[in-house]
Amino acid sequence: MAAQRILVVEDEPRIANLVCDNLEDEGYRVVLATDGAAALRAARQGGNDLILLDVMLPELDGFEVCRRLRSEGVNTPILLVTARDLPPDRVEGLMAGGDDYLIKPFHLDELLARVHALLRRSGWSEPKSVTRVNIGECWIDFDRAEAQDIHGEMVALNAKEIGILKLLFEAHGSVVQRGDIIAEVWGDEADPTPRTVDNFVVRLRKRFEPDLTNPRYLITARGIGYRLRLDED
Ligand code: CA
């Protein structure tokens, strides 16, 4: 089973490092967002098993992030981390859709215990992994290996196409090197050249890009690889 992924939302670098390091040591995959807007983007992209959400964030605070995600139907378990321990805050956090909360300063043991408990609890309900992702006007269904393309038509995607898209999607907008794409998607099979990856990306662009001369979603990192941009910004 793949490692469970935790989205950590924390604006204080010292705490972020401490928390991320400890979660990684426990075997979790960790994604860090350092403000509310980044948290919303990362949470909307899905694939997270848990969101560890600091309440005191600049601009968009944790309660607001939580409220928005819930109103959009994102049901990933959320563990709120608040520095204040006032009863109204607890109520606000739970009203906003948080599943549990942790008071700062916290002991790492307590953090890990709550993370573990929340993941176990959510594991009892249906799996929450994202299967469908929107790319502009199109969408991809990873489980069914099908998509709606730029012409509004349903198309079947082959294993390589799905593999590439999934890898880019799971990278959350960061660049994936061509070599890594080959290693992950082709594995031991044959020996494709970086050019093979490029050809597949060209095919995918034909499916999902409104303007092939100016790709909006499948972005080339010249000489390195590709990244998938799902945000409008
Ligand atoms: Ca904070």
Side-chain angles (χ1 to χ4, degrees):
M1 200 181 87
Q4 287 174 300
R5 191 168 76 189
I6 300 176
L7 169 61
V8 175
V9 186
E10 174 60 70
D11 60 315
E12 291 164 61
R14 191 182 57 82
I15 298 176
N17 284 335
L18 185 72
V19 167
C20 290
D21 286 352
N22 277 275
L23 290 172
E24 280 169 356
D25 286 349
E26 291 291 306
Y28 298 112
R29 289 165 62 205
V30 177
V31 176
L32 175 67
T34 55
D35 62 51
L40 284 175
R41 287 196 296 271
R44 285 171 182 148
Q45 289 196 4
N48 302 299
D49 296 291
L50 177 74
I51 301 172
L52 189 67
L53 180 57
D54 185 33
V55 170
M56 296 293 282
L57 296 168
E59 295 171 35
L60 217 56
D61 75 18
F63 291 146
E64 185 56 28
V65 169
C66 191
R67 235 184 320 268
R68 289 198 196 177
L69 291 174
R70 292 303 188 238
S71 73
E72 293 169 15
V74 175
N75 58 3
T76 311
I78 294 178
L79 176 55
L80 288 159
V81 181
T82 171
R84 301 167 295 178
D85 186 16
L86 301 170
D89 266 1
R90 298 185 181 205
V91 174
E92 185 175 2
L94 298 173
M95 292 288 285
D99 295 277
D100 197 1
Y101 60 89
L102 188 65
I103 306 299
K104 270 184 182 174
F106 50 80
H107 284 285
L108 280 168
D109 286 348
E110 189 189 0
L111 167 76
L112 295 174
R114 285 188 189 263
V115 163
H116 187 71
L118 212 45
L119 284 169
R120 259 191 36 182
R121 232 188 290 159
S122 69
W124 293 339
S125 50
E126 84 275 30
K128 303 220 166 42
S129 70
V130 164
T131 62
R132 191 180 275 212
V133 174
N134 295 318
I135 297 188
E137 302 290 297
C138 312
W139 52 256
I140 300 163
D141 189 319
F142 289 120
D143 273 3
R144 301 164 70 100
E146 62 185 22
Q148 179 174 293
D149 71 9
I150 194 70
H151 310 291
E153 282 171 21
M154 293 278 289
V155 291
L157 298 175
N158 67 33
K160 300 287 190 289
E161 291 173 310
I162 283 288
I164 292 170
L165 288 168
K166 202 159 189 178
L167 198 59
L168 294 178
F169 171 71
E170 287 177 348
H172 278 271
S174 36
V175 175
V176 180
Q177 297 187 31
R178 279 196 193 113
D180 291 340
I181 296 176
I182 290 172
E184 289 281 333
V185 177
W186 274 264
D188 303 331
E189 238 180 84
D191 40 13
T193 64
R195 188 73 202 135
T196 315
V197 177
D198 298 340
N199 289 336
F200 267 90
V201 170
V202 168
R203 272 168 62 171
L204 289 170
R205 281 182 177 147
K206 284 182 185 154
R207 297 195 189 283
F208 303 114
E209 292 286 357
D211 178 4
L212 287 174
T213 58
N214 186 20
R216 252 173 94 166
Y217 307 109
L218 288 152
I219 311 293
T220 303
R222 201 170 294 281
I224 306 172
Y226 295 97
R227 67 189 180 91
L228 180 62
R229 186 172 67 187
L230 294 175
D231 310 320
E232 288 306 308
D233 53 12

